[in-house]
Amino acid sequence: MCRMVDLRQAVLAKNDATAQVLRTELTARGTTVVNLLSSPGSGKTALLERELLLARERGVPVAALTADLATENDALRLARSGVPVKQVLTDGLCHLEAAMLGRHLDGWLPEDTRLLFVENVGNLVCPAGYDLGESLRVVLASVTEGEDKPLKYPTAFGLAQLVVVTKTDIARAVEFDEAAFRANVEQVNPGVEVVLTSARAGAGLGVLLDRALAAGAGTGTHTPVMARQQQAHEHGHGNEHGHGHEHGYVQGHAHEPGHDHDHEHDADLDHEHEHDHDADHDHDHDHGHGHDHDHPHVHTVAQTR
């Protein structure tokens, strides 16, 4: 058990350090990363498609990377916006990691990209612990998922800098209790903004884009209490646990109670195996030495605005 905990801490510590480097590099080139987390079926793809269209109308250079265990459905939908889109198939891995994201951006992300929206794998457990080098972390929940969602997934909601409620056009039909939901969010993440949206009706459209641009400008970004507590804890015990690395706004060391990682990492053996699929489906095999144990398939769906 101790070795498992040590390995987990080592993996997360490495991810944190990689995320900080990635954040610094992207910020230096003027790119802001927005990490979108939600359960499957929350409606984040529909909302993101509308936000990408709006960004294009406003002349904001934007791109999107979407991750799924299988299918390229989300990327094909997002590509309708006309912005650069890349699909990453994780082959069963339940989350993205900073090193994975960095590799997939290399040579693909246009230099003038101002905003990069990352649609993480659809679940609220695994992705919650991994910083991707983002400047804005957003958690989405639909009105159909229940008002107690923030209490069931306190890490995901507790580390969010923005909470977005989707599908509000059917809120009355499903008897969504907005006051109860807001109270539960406030319990795990005091002071975080909650935005009500409907991709179908257009309610709240543009708020996500505005908050992303504000984050890129260094203004209006919420700092979760949980993130501050984790940062204080990690720095306070850095010498004991070997966590003497830099930290971003989230530590990447939080996990839902009772949930372990879906994969094990060997601290002494690094291996990666990727397949990059371009539009003509040529296969490039890249054998690197990351620490992800992932085998993602990458498909660039659209590269033109």
Side-chain angles (χ1 to χ4, degrees), residues 38-70:
S38 80
S39 299
S42 68
K44 68 177 179 292
T45 304
L47 180 63
L48 180 55
E49 182 182 0
R50 295 291 302 273
E51 296 287 341
L52 294 176
L53 284 167
L54 183 59
R56 190 180 181 195
E57 291 173 6
R58 293 185 182 179
V60 178
V62 65
L65 181 146
T66 181
D68 280 303
L69 276 67

Short mmCIF file of all heavy atoms in Angstrom, two decimals, residues 38-70:
data_model
loop_
_atom_site.label_atom_id
_atom_site.label_comp_id
_atom_site.label_asym_id
_atom_site.label_seq_id
_atom_site.Cartn_x
_atom_site.Cartn_y
_atom_site.Cartn_z
N SER A 38 -16.57 17.38 -16.97
CA SER A 38 -17.99 17.10 -16.72
C SER A 38 -18.24 15.61 -16.81
O SER A 38 -17.38 14.85 -17.25
CB SER A 38 -18.88 17.83 -17.73
OG SER A 38 -18.92 17.11 -18.97
N SER A 39 -19.42 15.21 -16.38
CA SER A 39 -19.86 13.83 -16.58
C SER A 39 -20.24 13.63 -18.05
O SER A 39 -20.49 14.61 -18.77
CB SER A 39 -21.08 13.53 -15.71
OG SER A 39 -20.79 13.69 -14.34
N PRO A 40 -20.32 12.38 -18.51
CA PRO A 40 -20.81 12.15 -19.87
C PRO A 40 -22.24 12.66 -20.03
O PRO A 40 -23.04 12.55 -19.10
CB PRO A 40 -20.76 10.61 -20.00
CG PRO A 40 -19.79 10.16 -18.95
CD PRO A 40 -19.94 11.13 -17.83
N GLY A 41 -22.53 13.24 -21.17
CA GLY A 41 -23.89 13.68 -21.45
C GLY A 41 -24.28 14.99 -20.80
O GLY A 41 -25.47 15.34 -20.77
N SER A 42 -23.31 15.75 -20.32
CA SER A 42 -23.63 17.02 -19.66
C SER A 42 -23.99 18.12 -20.64
O SER A 42 -24.55 19.14 -20.26
CB SER A 42 -22.45 17.49 -18.81
OG SER A 42 -21.36 17.86 -19.65
N GLY A 43 -23.65 17.92 -21.90
CA GLY A 43 -23.92 18.95 -22.90
C GLY A 43 -22.74 19.89 -23.13
O GLY A 43 -22.90 20.94 -23.75
N LYS A 44 -21.55 19.51 -22.68
CA LYS A 44 -20.42 20.43 -22.84
C LYS A 44 -19.98 20.56 -24.30
O LYS A 44 -19.52 21.63 -24.70
CB LYS A 44 -19.24 20.03 -21.96
CG LYS A 44 -18.51 18.76 -22.28
CD LYS A 44 -17.33 18.59 -21.32
CE LYS A 44 -16.55 17.30 -21.56
NZ LYS A 44 -17.34 16.10 -21.21
N THR A 45 -20.14 19.50 -25.10
CA THR A 45 -19.77 19.61 -26.51
C THR A 45 -20.68 20.57 -27.24
O THR A 45 -20.23 21.39 -28.05
CB THR A 45 -19.82 18.23 -27.18
OG1 THR A 45 -18.97 17.32 -26.47
CG2 THR A 45 -19.35 18.31 -28.62
N ALA A 46 -21.97 20.49 -26.97
CA ALA A 46 -22.93 21.41 -27.61
C ALA A 46 -22.65 22.85 -27.22
O ALA A 46 -22.66 23.75 -28.08
CB ALA A 46 -24.36 21.03 -27.20
N LEU A 47 -22.39 23.09 -25.95
CA LEU A 47 -22.08 24.45 -25.50
C LEU A 47 -20.76 24.93 -26.10
O LEU A 47 -20.66 26.08 -26.56
CB LEU A 47 -22.03 24.50 -23.98
CG LEU A 47 -21.70 25.89 -23.38
CD1 LEU A 47 -22.79 26.89 -23.74
CD2 LEU A 47 -21.52 25.78 -21.87
N LEU A 48 -19.76 24.05 -26.10
CA LEU A 48 -18.45 24.44 -26.64
C LEU A 48 -18.55 24.79 -28.12
O LEU A 48 -17.92 25.75 -28.59
CB LEU A 48 -17.45 23.31 -26.42
CG LEU A 48 -16.02 23.56 -26.93
CD1 LEU A 48 -15.45 24.85 -26.35
CD2 LEU A 48 -15.13 22.37 -26.61
N GLU A 49 -19.35 24.04 -28.86
CA GLU A 49 -19.52 24.35 -30.29
C GLU A 49 -20.06 25.76 -30.47
O GLU A 49 -19.57 26.52 -31.32
CB GLU A 49 -20.46 23.34 -30.93
CG GLU A 49 -20.64 23.58 -32.43
CD GLU A 49 -21.60 22.60 -33.08
OE1 GLU A 49 -22.14 21.72 -32.37
OE2 GLU A 49 -21.84 22.73 -34.30
N ARG A 50 -21.03 26.15 -29.67
CA ARG A 50 -21.59 27.49 -29.76
C ARG A 50 -20.55 28.55 -29.38
O ARG A 50 -20.47 29.62 -30.00
CB ARG A 50 -22.81 27.62 -28.84
CG ARG A 50 -24.01 26.75 -29.22
CD ARG A 50 -24.66 27.21 -30.53
NE ARG A 50 -25.11 28.59 -30.48
CZ ARG A 50 -26.31 28.98 -30.04
NH1 ARG A 50 -27.16 28.08 -29.57
NH2 ARG A 50 -26.65 30.25 -30.08
N GLU A 51 -19.74 28.26 -28.35
CA GLU A 51 -18.72 29.20 -27.92
C GLU A 51 -17.62 29.36 -28.97
O GLU A 51 -17.10 30.46 -29.18
CB GLU A 51 -18.11 28.75 -26.58
CG GLU A 51 -19.08 28.72 -25.42
CD GLU A 51 -19.46 30.12 -24.93
OE1 GLU A 51 -18.73 31.09 -25.21
OE2 GLU A 51 -20.51 30.23 -24.26
N LEU A 52 -17.27 28.28 -29.64
CA LEU A 52 -16.26 28.35 -30.69
C LEU A 52 -16.75 29.18 -31.87
O LEU A 52 -16.00 29.98 -32.46
CB LEU A 52 -15.89 26.94 -31.17
CG LEU A 52 -15.18 26.04 -30.16
CD1 LEU A 52 -14.96 24.65 -30.75
CD2 LEU A 52 -13.85 26.64 -29.71
N LEU A 53 -18.02 28.99 -32.22
CA LEU A 53 -18.60 29.81 -33.30
C LEU A 53 -18.59 31.28 -32.94
O LEU A 53 -18.26 32.14 -33.77
CB LEU A 53 -20.04 29.34 -33.57
CG LEU A 53 -20.21 28.04 -34.35
CD1 LEU A 53 -21.66 27.55 -34.27
CD2 LEU A 53 -19.80 28.26 -35.81
N LEU A 54 -18.93 31.58 -31.70
CA LEU A 54 -18.95 32.96 -31.24
C LEU A 54 -17.54 33.56 -31.24
O LEU A 54 -17.34 34.71 -31.65
CB LEU A 54 -19.55 33.04 -29.84
CG LEU A 54 -19.71 34.44 -29.24
CD1 LEU A 54 -20.59 35.31 -30.14
CD2 LEU A 54 -20.29 34.35 -27.84
N ALA A 55 -16.56 32.76 -30.82
CA ALA A 55 -15.17 33.23 -30.83
C ALA A 55 -14.72 33.56 -32.24
O ALA A 55 -14.06 34.58 -32.48
CB ALA A 55 -14.26 32.17 -30.22
N ARG A 56 -15.12 32.71 -33.17
CA ARG A 56 -14.74 32.96 -34.56
C ARG A 56 -15.41 34.23 -35.08
O ARG A 56 -14.78 35.03 -35.79
CB ARG A 56 -15.16 31.75 -35.41
CG ARG A 56 -14.60 31.82 -36.82
CD ARG A 56 -15.01 30.62 -37.63
NE ARG A 56 -14.44 30.70 -38.97
CZ ARG A 56 -14.82 29.96 -39.99
NH1 ARG A 56 -15.78 29.06 -39.82
NH2 ARG A 56 -14.26 30.09 -41.17
N GLU A 57 -16.66 34.42 -34.72
CA GLU A 57 -17.38 35.64 -35.14
C GLU A 57 -16.71 36.90 -34.57
O GLU A 57 -16.67 37.93 -35.23
CB GLU A 57 -18.83 35.58 -34.67
CG GLU A 57 -19.67 34.54 -35.39
CD GLU A 57 -21.06 34.40 -34.78
OE1 GLU A 57 -21.38 35.20 -33.86
OE2 GLU A 57 -21.81 33.49 -35.19
N ARG A 58 -16.18 36.79 -33.37
CA ARG A 58 -15.52 37.92 -32.73
C ARG A 58 -14.07 38.11 -33.20
O ARG A 58 -13.41 39.07 -32.82
CB ARG A 58 -15.52 37.75 -31.22
CG ARG A 58 -16.89 37.83 -30.57
CD ARG A 58 -16.73 37.77 -29.06
NE ARG A 58 -18.00 37.79 -28.35
CZ ARG A 58 -18.12 37.72 -27.03
NH1 ARG A 58 -17.01 37.62 -26.28
NH2 ARG A 58 -19.30 37.73 -26.45
N GLY A 59 -13.59 37.17 -34.00
CA GLY A 59 -12.22 37.28 -34.48
C GLY A 59 -11.18 36.82 -33.47
O GLY A 59 -10.01 37.22 -33.57
N VAL A 60 -11.58 35.99 -32.51
CA VAL A 60 -10.64 35.47 -31.51
C VAL A 60 -10.03 34.17 -32.04
O VAL A 60 -10.76 33.21 -32.28
CB VAL A 60 -11.35 35.20 -30.17
CG1 VAL A 60 -10.36 34.63 -29.16
CG2 VAL A 60 -11.99 36.47 -29.64
N PRO A 61 -8.72 34.12 -32.22
CA PRO A 61 -8.08 32.88 -32.67
C PRO A 61 -8.23 31.79 -31.60
O PRO A 61 -7.71 31.91 -30.51
CB PRO A 61 -6.60 33.27 -32.85
CG PRO A 61 -6.60 34.75 -32.96
CD PRO A 61 -7.73 35.22 -32.10
N VAL A 62 -8.95 30.75 -31.92
CA VAL A 62 -9.31 29.73 -30.94
C VAL A 62 -9.14 28.35 -31.54
O VAL A 62 -9.24 28.17 -32.76
CB VAL A 62 -10.76 29.95 -30.45
CG1 VAL A 62 -11.75 29.75 -31.59
CG2 VAL A 62 -11.09 29.05 -29.27
N ALA A 63 -8.87 27.37 -30.68
CA ALA A 63 -8.76 25.97 -31.12
C ALA A 63 -9.34 25.09 -30.03
O ALA A 63 -9.57 25.54 -28.90
CB ALA A 63 -7.29 25.61 -31.38
N ALA A 64 -9.58 23.83 -30.38
CA ALA A 64 -10.17 22.90 -29.41
C ALA A 64 -9.54 21.53 -29.55
O ALA A 64 -9.29 21.06 -30.66
CB ALA A 64 -11.68 22.80 -29.60
N LEU A 65 -9.26 20.91 -28.41
CA LEU A 65 -8.80 19.52 -28.36
C LEU A 65 -9.79 18.75 -27.50
O LEU A 65 -10.10 19.18 -26.39
CB LEU A 65 -7.39 19.44 -27.80
CG LEU A 65 -6.75 18.06 -27.71
CD1 LEU A 65 -5.25 18.14 -27.95
CD2 LEU A 65 -7.02 17.39 -26.35
N THR A 66 -10.29 17.65 -28.02
CA THR A 66 -11.28 16.89 -27.29
C THR A 66 -10.79 15.45 -27.08
O THR A 66 -10.21 14.85 -27.99
CB THR A 66 -12.64 16.89 -28.01
OG1 THR A 66 -13.60 16.15 -27.25
CG2 THR A 66 -12.54 16.33 -29.41
N ALA A 67 -10.98 14.93 -25.88
CA ALA A 67 -10.49 13.59 -25.54
C ALA A 67 -11.66 12.67 -25.22
O ALA A 67 -12.57 13.04 -24.49
CB ALA A 67 -9.54 13.67 -24.35
N ASP A 68 -11.60 11.47 -25.77
CA ASP A 68 -12.61 10.44 -25.50
C ASP A 68 -11.94 9.07 -25.49
O ASP A 68 -10.84 8.89 -26.04
CB ASP A 68 -13.69 10.45 -26.58
CG ASP A 68 -14.73 11.53 -26.36
OD1 ASP A 68 -15.34 11.54 -25.27
OD2 ASP A 68 -14.91 12.36 -27.26
N LEU A 69 -12.61 8.12 -24.87
CA LEU A 69 -12.10 6.76 -24.87
C LEU A 69 -12.23 6.13 -26.25
O LEU A 69 -11.41 5.30 -26.66
CB LEU A 69 -12.85 5.90 -23.84
CG LEU A 69 -12.35 5.97 -22.40
CD1 LEU A 69 -12.59 7.34 -21.80
CD2 LEU A 69 -13.03 4.90 -21.55
N ALA A 70 -13.28 6.52 -26.99
CA ALA A 70 -13.50 5.97 -28.32
C ALA A 70 -14.39 6.93 -29.12
O ALA A 70 -15.05 7.80 -28.54
CB ALA A 70 -14.17 4.60 -28.23
#
